[in-house]
Amino acid sequence: MIVCVAHNIISPLGVTSAENYAAVESGRSALKRYDGLWGLPEPFVASLLDRDVYTDDRYTIDERIVIDSISRALKETTIDVTSSKVLFIISTTKGNVFLLDKRETGFPQERVRLGMMAREITKHFGNPNEPIVVSNACISGVCAQIEAMRYLESGDYDYVIVCGVDVQSAFIVSGFQSFKALSPEDCKPFDANRQGLNLGDAAATIIYTRKNKVDDYEWVAYRGAIRNDANHISGPSRTGEGSYRALKVALGGLNSDELAFINAHGTATSYNDEMESIAIERAGLASVPVNSLKGYYGHTMGAAGVLETIISMQAVDDHNILGTRGFDTLGVTHPIDVSNQNRATEKRAFIKLLSGFGGCNAALLMTKGGQR
Amino acid sequence: MMKHSVIITPEHVVVDGNPLMHSEKGSALLTELYRNNIGDYPKFFKMDTLSKLGFIASELLLNTEGNRSFEPREDRAVILFNRNASLQADTAYQATIQNPENFFPSPAAFVYTLPNIVTGEIAIRNKYFGETSFIVIDDYDEKIIMENLRNAFQDPMTTSIIGGWVDCSDEEHFEAKIFLMEK
Amino acid sequence: MDELIYTLKQQIIEALNLEDMKPEDIDDNASLFGEGLGLDSIDALELIVMMEKNYGIKLKDPTQGKEIFKSVAVMADFIAKNRTK
């Protein structure tokens, strides 16, 4: 089985997984309103890291937080990262895209290539393998974990280090603004008055290995699936086709009674949340509690799948179904179980669900302990 | 098992090992291939160069397979690789926001600033509900690509994959080397 | 008005990359979305940008687009009444 051996989150809410979970558990959010930042004519609400803290001559902010996040996760382990049996998988949508701005200087243009950025990371750690970069829009973080499971299952590697990252810039924010997809205030996932999403900065790391015997406290990446809507490159399917199919495969033979919750994408755009409610109901999961973490972190893009998996693992460890910050009244047509309050659970499994541009969807079933 | 293959560069087109006749080069070549081999999919003209390239290459590939039914299916994956991600689209979008005096971010340009959009375009055209994925590595490496695609058959439903390399750095410089692979 | 309609058709073709279309091919009163020209949600957003860029019209509420983009004739009428450049 594929087991999580260590993890870390670097976000405006903290620099360890524990700090991040404690903040979310107590209802703290990093969302703030920014007016005139980066010369953008329209204000926006986002969860941003302090640029000054992560400024460096050698590494861009994306590279810096990836290195910090992986280093902190590795500290909990005895892994020799210089071994060819260790593979690095980076999950990102836009990486160093800010370097395309002609006003940016100080870093070579080639670092805008995601593979070059990833090589800076493996070079830092002295790892000899070519790093793999998963760039599958907003589902990248779950795809990277599914890739890790497959590489470990094939027996070619002993450890896979998955790190998801994205850092916001004028490029990304103006793009989402042109899509009229950003909320003018803190986002309200699944709510009747939701007005769009917020964006966020983060890096998040999970290290996986393969084990035959799993201890009771250990987390298993049990089964994942990626499916396409085959419908539209920017709008989700009205029948939730891809998410429904991904959910069905990830769930497999598991009884839905065993799920503590579904940690949905829940971006708080009108179409996404509606689509997820349809997919969840179609998959026969309408009775399973659903939550979204976007009200705490915004949409952290390439980091989201990794970050939200880590927060969800800690929530189950804490017997907690985290409340959906920003939610008040259900505003999707299919009855799903969302709450803005933390709720108790004794269950030991959850599904992480994501969807993204290009019509892609991904679901990952995470289970705790070995008996299944 | 590899079944069919297509190679497209700005100067050459090779289908299953046989050169395909054409008169144009570069971006005009992609338009020529569209008009000669497809012709009924005007969405093509809205695509960025990466999507145009992947779309044309997949059409030529699937024509070799024959019996195109466009029936929905979930057993075929589309998993592509490249070096430059969506650089051509990124550069085009950046141009719409570079000048503060002429700041008009284009949603039609922004939507293509993700490399996996090309996998979505192929899935939409063919009604593939299966896995779609995009992976970036800094140099073409057949060993990495094949290792990754073999792993993709671990999905319980995937029995065939449109896989390979689809890369472009700008409208005139591109390379596709894709194939149809069965379990 | 006829001149504005013609220019507008050229601008729509250019903004939306309707490669195989000429202004003559677009009917003044035909629907731009669904049946008619078959435009989609990204096209609608792009038309909003085009109106701002060429005519200085800023749509506050993107859902307004539904009414305005009914046909080229309706769009031209809206532009004539609201243009600032």
Side-chain angles (χ1 to χ4, degrees), chain A residues 40-288:
Chain A
L40 289 171
E42 277 176 60
F44 61 98
V45 173
S47 159
L48 302 181
L49 288 164
D50 183 347
R51 286 344 189 223
D52 291 340
V53 174
Y54 296 98
T55 298
D56 196 314
D57 293 339
R58 227 173 120 204
Y59 296 112
T60 66
I61 176 167
D62 298 63
E63 293 158 4
R64 184 76 262 166
I65 59 174
V66 167
I67 289 168
D68 278 9
S69 179
I70 293 174
S71 301
R72 285 172 183 271
L74 281 169
K75 263 193 204 137
E76 300 167 32
T77 73
T78 55
I79 299 167
D80 173 14
V81 284
T82 63
S83 160
S84 63
K85 299 293 256 179
V86 177
L87 179 68
F88 281 64
I89 300 181
I90 305 296
S91 154
T92 187
T93 65
K94 296 313 310 161
N96 290 325
V97 73
F98 73 96
L99 293 176
L100 283 182
D101 190 324
K102 294 187 182 73
R103 291 158 288 198
E104 286 291 338
T105 51
F107 292 100
Q109 266 288 314
E110 62 178 20
R111 292 265 273 283
V112 85
R113 292 208 309 272
L114 303 179
M116 266 321 264
M117 168 182 141
R119 279 182 179 177
E120 288 296 317
I121 312 296
T122 50
K123 208 175 7 168
H124 175 91
F125 288 102
N127 181 268
N129 292 317
E130 182 71 36
I132 305 290
V133 182
V134 176
S135 194
N136 229 358
C138 305
I139 72 166
S140 300
V142 164
C143 293
Q145 293 180 72
I146 292 172
E147 289 285 341
M149 291 160 72
R150 291 175 181 170
Y151 277 110
L152 290 165
E153 210 59 76
S154 73
D156 295 336
Y157 299 93
D158 294 339
Y159 292 96
V160 178
I161 298 174
V162 176
C163 184
V165 67
D166 265 303
V167 175
Q168 300 305 322
S169 59
F171 186 103
I172 303 167
V173 175
S174 65
F176 277 95
Q177 283 175 335
S178 81
F179 257 87
K180 315 281 178 206
L182 295 191
S183 172
E185 45 194 76
D186 287 16
C187 67
K188 299 179 167 122
F190 299 107
D191 190 78
N193 295 315
R194 66 186 183 279
Q195 297 180 72
L197 57 82
N198 308 132
L199 292 163
D201 296 339
T205 305
I206 302 187
I207 303 174
Y208 284 113
T209 192
R210 187 161 172 255
K211 278 189 176 181
N212 292 326
K213 199 181 164 300
V214 179
D215 281 317
D216 202 44
Y217 64 88
E218 287 182 308
W219 274 99
V220 175
Y222 198 83
R223 190 165 38 232
I226 305 160
R227 290 294 181 269
N228 203 286
D229 288 335
N231 174 58
H232 194 270
I233 54 169
S234 68
S237 155
R238 286 179 200 280
T239 52
E241 211 58 52
S243 280
Y244 156 68
R245 289 170 192 260
L247 275 173
K248 234 176 93 173
V249 177
L251 193 65
L254 189 90
N255 190 324
S256 63
D257 287 349
E258 292 189 53
L259 290 174
F261 52 83
I262 298 165
N263 179 243
H265 196 28
T267 58
T269 65
S270 154
Y271 290 116
N272 175 81
D273 294 6
E274 174 66 14
M275 180 280 288
E276 284 190 301
S277 80
I278 294 168
I280 288 167
E281 192 187 49
R282 272 185 84 186
L285 300 171
S287 62
V288 180

Side-chain angles (χ1 to χ4, degrees), chain C residues 31-66:
Chain C
S31 164
L32 291 176
F33 294 85
E35 285 300 294
L37 269 188
L39 305 185
D40 72 0
S41 54
I42 307 174
D43 296 320
L45 292 167
E46 199 61 31
L47 288 180
I48 293 177
V49 176
M50 191 272 276
M51 286 211 304
E52 191 182 339
K53 204 169 170 175
N54 296 336
Y55 301 103
I57 298 173
K58 226 181 151 117
L59 282 194
K60 283 197 188 75
D61 177 8
T63 54
Q64 253 186 295
K66 255 193 188 142

Side-chain angles (χ1 to χ4, degrees), chain A residues 39-41 93-94 97 100-103 112-116 119 130-137 139 143 146-147 149-151 153-154 156-157 170-179 223-234 241-242 245-246 249 356-360, chain B residues 43 72-74 79 81 83-87 89-91 93-95 97-100 103 105-108 110-117 119-121 123-139 141 143-144 147-148 151-158:
Chain A
L40 289 171
T93 65
K94 296 313 310 161
V97 73
L100 283 182
D101 190 324
K102 294 187 182 73
R103 291 158 288 198
V112 85
R113 292 208 309 272
L114 303 179
M116 266 321 264
R119 279 182 179 177
E130 182 71 36
I132 305 290
V133 182
V134 176
S135 194
N136 229 358
I139 72 166
C143 293
I146 292 172
E147 289 285 341
M149 291 160 72
R150 291 175 181 170
Y151 277 110
E153 210 59 76
S154 73
D156 295 336
Y157 299 93
F171 186 103
I172 303 167
V173 175
S174 65
F176 277 95
Q177 283 175 335
S178 81
F179 257 87
R223 190 165 38 232
I226 305 160
R227 290 294 181 269
N228 203 286
D229 288 335
N231 174 58
H232 194 270
I233 54 169
S234 68
E241 211 58 52
R245 289 170 192 260
V249 177
F357 277 4
C360 53
Chain B
K43 251 198 269 177
R73 58 190 290 188
E74 195 173 342
I79 304 175
F81 299 74
R83 166 186 169 94
N84 285 297
S86 51
L87 182 62
D90 292 355
T91 309
Y93 177 74
Q94 178 68 36
I97 61 167
Q98 185 66 46
N99 182 357
F103 182 89
S106 159
F110 184 66
V111 73
Y112 284 100
T113 63
L114 292 163
N116 68 302
I117 298 295
T119 65
E121 293 283 12
I124 292 166
R125 165 70 165 169
N126 298 289
K127 298 199 180 66
Y128 291 163
F129 292 126
E131 174 166 333
T132 54
S133 200
F134 205 98
I135 289 163
V136 177
I137 44 179
D138 207 53
D139 281 309
D141 186 327
K143 195 172 150 269
I144 292 177
E147 179 185 50
N148 191 284
N151 284 345
F153 286 113
Q154 289 177 29
D155 182 282
M157 292 176 86
T158 302

